[in-house]
Amino acid sequence: MRKPFLAGNWKMYKTGTEAVEFIKAFVPLLGSLSDREAALGVPFTAIAQAAEAAQGTGILIGSQNIYFEKEGAFTGEISAGMVKAAGASFVILGHSERRQFFGDTDLWVSKKLAAAVAMDLIPVVCVGETLAQREAGDAFKVISGQLKNSLAGLTPDAAVKLIIAYEPVWAIGTGKTASAAEAQEVHEHIRKELSSLLGDKVAEATRILYGGSVKPDNVASLLSQKDIDGALVGGAALKPDSFAQIVKFGG
Ligand code: PEP
């Protein structure tokens, strides 16, 4: 049984103080987290305060990126060990905004993934096609390539905590959501690819999240699909009330 994983991606929003205010307002709105996991991917500068505020609540705090080297002359970068020490337990890797604006490639994602695994961070690896790629009929091919190259070097044993997020680029921050059936089709494809890359056991256990304009009113139908095991949520995770509704989907 795959436990639903509902993660917010705050992008470049919220200071540490604002993160603490959010968590204080959010926790009383949540029901029991025994059958699901709630997580917040926060800016680097908010990790420590957010992790402290979330202590004992079951909410996981994570970062939205890392650099793959352990330490060194890499001005402006942050390592897996640094985010872990600050209180992160997961990391979002290869988000389409990082691929689009900061040049993250599948090769870099694979190196960051290895660094995350070495630090025992839960890796949330993002894949997804652009509108042009979808319209050209290339969505499956693009996603297969991203998975093969981003997961290169990962062994089945190291993949125990792996989470994949399918985020069609055309649905991120646009208000356009893939229909539940469209998303399920891709999630099923991703699980098949995971099976050929890492074996059936890993494919069955790996949670595959959907991301792209997830809101309180569409989360339940998306998550009712067989291969959709959670959500990665941008805009709707910035307000305690809407993210709490998303986490409590179906309840
Ligand atoms: C995201 O940032 O990963 C995302 C899916 O954003 P939004 O929910 O705003 O589309």
Side-chain angles (χ1 to χ4, degrees), residues 9 11 95 97 167 171-173 211-214 232-235:
N9 170 23
K11 314 193 186 211
H95 190 278
E97 286 152 17
E167 298 209 308
I172 297 180
S213 299
V214 174
L232 185 56
V233 186

Side-chain angles (χ1 to χ4, degrees), residues 153-165:
L154 188 70
T155 62
D157 283 350
V160 280
K161 293 189 176 174
L162 177 69
I163 293 178
I164 302 291

Side-chain angles (χ1 to χ4, degrees), residues 7-248:
N9 170 23
W10 279 355
K11 314 193 186 211
M12 200 171 73
Y13 293 101
K14 296 193 193 294
T15 62
T17 307
E18 288 164 344
V20 173
E21 280 165 11
F22 177 105
I23 291 164
K24 278 191 185 149
F26 180 56
V27 171
L29 303 176
L30 287 178
S32 157
L33 290 176
S34 60
D35 62 347
R36 61 198 66 198
E37 285 187 291
L40 290 168
V42 308
F44 291 130
T45 47
I47 294 173
Q49 278 167 275
E52 200 184 327
Q55 231 172 37
T57 65
I59 300 165
L60 303 177
I61 301 300
S63 73
Q64 302 166 20
N65 182 34
I66 47 168
Y67 189 55
F68 49 81
E69 295 288 356
K70 276 202 186 104
E71 59 183 9
F74 303 106
T75 302
E77 291 299 320
I78 309 272
S79 71
M82 288 169 180
V83 301
K84 173 103 180 178
S89 50
F90 75 96
V91 58
I92 300 169
L93 298 173
H95 190 278
S96 63
E97 286 152 17
R98 295 230 38 102
R99 293 176 186 264
Q100 188 181 347
F101 302 128
F102 304 102
D104 276 20
T105 59
D106 289 336
L107 175 64
W108 273 44
V109 174
S110 71
K111 292 182 176 202
K112 292 177 180 196
L113 175 59
V117 168
M119 272 297 148
D120 201 26
L121 290 166
I122 299 167
V124 180
V125 174
C126 302
V127 295
E129 80 286 2
T130 62
L131 185 59
Q133 289 165 334
R134 172 159 281 256
E135 285 176 349
D138 288 340
F140 280 15
K141 193 175 88 190
V142 167
I143 289 158
S144 298
Q146 288 173 335
L147 285 170
K148 181 167 175 273
N149 297 320
S150 301
L151 305 182
L154 188 70
T155 62
D157 283 350
V160 280
K161 293 189 176 174
L162 177 69
I163 293 178
I164 302 291
Y166 167 55
E167 298 209 308
V169 179
W170 48 271
I172 297 180
T174 59
K176 284 187 199 142
T177 323
S179 70
E182 272 172 334
Q184 164 58 26
E185 212 185 12
V186 179
H187 281 233
E188 192 179 339
H189 174 74
I190 291 172
R191 205 172 299 287
K192 280 196 190 126
E193 288 292 306
L194 288 174
S195 176
S196 70
L197 293 168
L198 293 160
D200 288 349
K201 207 167 140 215
V202 171
E204 261 315 296
T206 300
R207 288 172 290 182
I208 306 174
L209 318 183
Y210 172 78
S213 299
V214 174
K215 302 275 181 299
D217 61 4
N218 61 21
V219 64
S221 106
L222 286 158
L223 271 103
S224 69
Q225 300 295 312
K226 183 166 121 338
D227 291 296
I228 304 185
D229 309 310
L232 185 56
V233 186
L238 289 169
K239 296 240 161 65
D241 179 48
S242 63
F243 191 47
Q245 286 181 53
I246 288 171
V247 172
K248 293 196 296 186

